Amino acid sequence: MPSKIFSAAIAGLNARIIEIETDVTRGLRHFEIVGLPDKAVEESKERVGAAIKSSGFRSPHQQSQRVLVSLAPADLKKEGSLYDLPIALGYLSASSQIRFNPEGKIFSGELALDGKLRPVKGALSLALATQEKGWKEIILPKENGPEAALISSLGKNEKNSEKIRIIGLGTLREVISHLEGRIKAKPFETDIKNFLEKPNYPVDLGWIKGQESSKRALEISAAGGHNLIMEGPPGAGKSLLAKSLPSILPDLSFEEILEVTKIYSIAGLLPEEKPLISYRPFRSPHHTSSEPALIGGGNPPKPGEITLAHRGILFLDEFPEFHRDVLESLRQPMEEGKITILRARNHLTFPARFTLIAAANPCPCGYYGDPQRDCTCTQSQIAGYRRKLSGPLTDRIDISIKVPQLKFEKLTSIDEENSSAKIKERTEKARQIQKERFFNDPLNKFGARQEENKIFTNSEMQIPQIKKYCKIDQKSESILKRFVDSGKLSARGFHRVLKVARTIADLENSEKINYNHIAEGLMYRIREN
Ligand SMILES: Nc1ncnc2c1ncn2[C@@H]1O[C@H](COP(=O)(O)OP(=O)(O)OP(=O)(O)O)[C@@H](O)[C@H]1O
Ligand SMILES: [Mg+2]
Ligand SMILES: [Zn+2]
């Protein structure tokens, strides 16, 4: 009798159910897998054969029989070694060596030659997708148990009155014993609270002396998720300021934690002992990074830095040193909050809603416009450098500031008033206001499957939201109009000032955007002046 077993494939951040049918007939020895398998799936035959033999069963390689394994749907490329376990069980069942009821069960896991189960990537996505669709049990390697069981913090699903059971086991033999009812495996449960730790931030904003206006700009960026560029001479403290940003970012919501954790799970970057990313990522790729490293790609496709920075910070230090094409490739994801990677048969989408923080010197030597030191660059060097600074990407940056070199007296005066903890309290409150604003907004309902389109912060507002939430008074309108009419502010720039002003008002818990908020917002568009 042919057997039918279920597994799941990871596509982008989500999982799709894969049906594995196995047929065993008498005949010349033959073992074939159909349904767009990649090389790793092809090689599964060898691992499965050896693992079955070491587990004390008869392997397909030992008999005169034809084994046909069919993976459906046929149009989806099957990648990786996670089908080893279901293929092995499908064969054992079709050749009548074991007997169990596969209904409601999902299997995933790589097999070692000795029959041990090896962990797979994307276990959380798999658990989320199958729980949502009403499956009853997932059987996977025990190392993946704690991660998959993160969904136990989610509560019951809609279709089932019961939660999906997460069964993590060590070997093929254990799986069979569990399926045939000889052992009772206890489902994994993970209490998300056990993993919510306070990270140790490398820099506290309170340690940085002076730089009041830069710190203020960072606070606004953190509160509303606004992209920010800072420009200043060497040693002014730009890198230091950027590194202090994580310490004032609002905490991730539970929803965001799952989103970010899914990404790190699929990238294979989740620490085994703590399968959760509970704070906002901070990624700082080097300026020599390639385009695929930054935006994602490869085969099988891996998320790039912009996706690893999702809901967190992408810090591009020495911004003008990045290759022009690489910077260009950031444009579209920055507009859309996601990246679509073209593949032979499927398009893959990874989320990429990050806050860009860029740092730059004013010129290659760093002293252009410095009152104390002379710039040693040629005119054309300066022009080339500044072209990169004022490219299409910088039009997507809400806040633009100059970080001055501080005088010696300033550096010795200590300011402990504005520690990161204090600032974080404010950004947290402002983010809460935004969350409530957008959570209840009918404009923000894109359906459950489109979670990556949901808006959480002011910086993500599109025109309809800006119209709705950024109403301004006459006086503000006339000053903005003056800037636009004189060509100092573009249409995009105009909207960006409104968004930043919205965040400044939220930091003051003010429902109205007033003239001062607009004036401060305008200050952060110095590049256009
Ligand atoms: N405001 C400040 N308070 C305390 N220390 C500071 C301040 N500004 C600079 N420093 C010190 O100067 C060092 C250099 O700062 P940083 O590396 O951030 O400068 P930078 O602007 O990134 O320079 P570059 O353009 O060369 O990259 C810091 O590591 C820190 O020790
Ligand atoms: Mg630096
Ligand atoms: Zn110079």
Side-chain angles (χ1 to χ4, degrees), residues 8-16 76 79 125 266 346-350:
I10 304 294
L13 280 200
N14 298 314
R16 274 180 71 181
L76 184 75
E79 286 160 325
S125 293
I266 277 155
N346 310 301
H347 290 206
L348 274 188
T349 302
F350 287 123

Side-chain angles (χ1 to χ4, degrees), residues 181-233:
R182 271 175 280 116
I183 59 167
K184 226 179 160 51
K186 196 168 164 283
F188 273 78
E189 295 259 347
T190 303
D191 188 349
I192 209 161
K193 288 191 210 83
N194 296 342
F195 296 119
L196 300 179
E197 51 172 25
K198 285 253 170 293
N200 270 329
Y201 296 113
V203 188
D204 192 289
L205 221 57
W207 303 343
I208 302 175
K209 291 146 204 158
Q211 303 294 13
E212 310 307 338
S213 59
S214 308
K215 289 188 211 167
R216 167 74 177 162
L218 282 184
E219 178 174 336
I220 297 167
S221 159
H226 301 284
N227 297 329
L228 175 148
I229 185 166
M230 44 191 157
E231 190 184 310

Side-chain angles (χ1 to χ4, degrees), residues 238-239 317-318:
K238 302 179 296 294
S239 302
D317 206 355
E318 322 284 347

Side-chain angles (χ1 to χ4, degrees), residues 115-401:
K116 276 207 186 72
L117 280 170
R118 287 203 179 124
V120 293
K121 288 177 189 168
L124 177 59
S125 293
L126 189 140
L128 280 166
T130 46
Q131 154 119 322
E132 195 182 297
K133 294 194 180 101
W135 291 76
K136 296 207 168 48
E137 186 168 301
I138 302 178
I139 294 164
L140 39 53
K142 64 174 188 292
E143 288 86 347
N144 292 123
E147 179 196 327
L150 284 173
I151 59 159
S152 52
S153 309
L154 279 178
K156 296 179 171 55
N157 71 43
E158 285 163 18
K159 290 190 189 154
N160 266 344
S161 54
E162 287 169 55
K163 281 189 216 170
I164 195 164
R165 289 185 299 275
I166 309 290
I167 306 292
L169 295 166
T171 62
L172 177 60
R173 277 202 76 86
E174 273 176 38
V175 173
I176 293 167
S177 301
H178 166 70
L179 290 172
E180 295 190 327
R182 271 175 280 116
I183 59 167
K184 226 179 160 51
K186 196 168 164 283
F188 273 78
E189 295 259 347
T190 303
D191 188 349
I192 209 161
K193 288 191 210 83
N194 296 342
F195 296 119
L196 300 179
E197 51 172 25
K198 285 253 170 293
N200 270 329
Y201 296 113
V203 188
D204 192 289
L205 221 57
W207 303 343
I208 302 175
K209 291 146 204 158
Q211 303 294 13
E212 310 307 338
S213 59
S214 308
K215 289 188 211 167
R216 167 74 177 162
L218 282 184
E219 178 174 336
I220 297 167
S221 159
H226 301 284
N227 297 329
L228 175 148
I229 185 166
M230 44 191 157
E231 190 184 310
K238 302 179 296 294
S239 302
L240 193 66
L241 283 161
K243 283 182 196 133
S244 74
L245 188 57
S247 65
I248 61 164
L249 291 174
D251 290 334
L252 288 170
S253 67
F254 180 60
E255 205 177 359
E256 290 173 315
I257 287 177
L258 285 184
E259 248 187 318
V260 176
T261 301
K262 267 200 315 193
I263 293 170
Y264 280 73
S265 158
I266 277 155
L269 294 175
L270 273 188
E272 202 181 291
E273 67 286 358
K274 179 191 160 285
L276 188 71
I277 304 292
S278 58
Y279 39 87
R280 296 191 185 272
F282 181 88
R283 306 291 301 184
S284 51
H286 193 253
H287 59 75
T288 52
S289 297
S290 68
E291 193 178 314
L294 217 60
I295 70 164
N299 197 8
K302 277 214 309 247
E305 291 292 334
I306 60 170
T307 297
L308 296 173
H310 182 63
R311 303 278 176 221
I313 304 294
L314 181 72
F315 175 43
L316 301 185
D317 206 355
E318 322 284 347
F319 181 69
E321 305 288 334
F322 278 81
H323 205 278
R324 218 190 154 89
D325 298 345
V326 173
L327 292 181
E328 281 283 322
S329 68
L330 290 175
R331 276 177 66 174
Q332 205 198 349
M334 277 176 75
E335 281 290 295
E336 297 180 355
K338 62 186 174 203
I339 177 80
T340 302
I341 296 167
L342 300 180
R343 312 227 45 223
R345 278 167 189 260
N346 310 301
H347 290 206
L348 274 188
T349 302
F350 287 123
R353 264 176 208 265
F354 55 87
T355 302
L356 174 71
I357 305 293
N361 290 332
C363 69
C365 87
Y367 294 102
Y368 177 74
D370 192 290
Q372 257 91 47
R373 292 180 61 167
D374 286 333
C375 165
T376 56
C377 310
T378 65
Q379 281 302 323
S380 71
Q381 271 178 316
I382 295 171
Y385 194 85
R386 300 206 64 79
R387 257 202 306 281
K388 270 194 175 169
L389 275 181
S390 58
L393 215 52
T394 42
D395 202 26
R396 286 164 174 80
I397 291 175
D398 294 349
I399 301 177
S400 178
I401 55 167

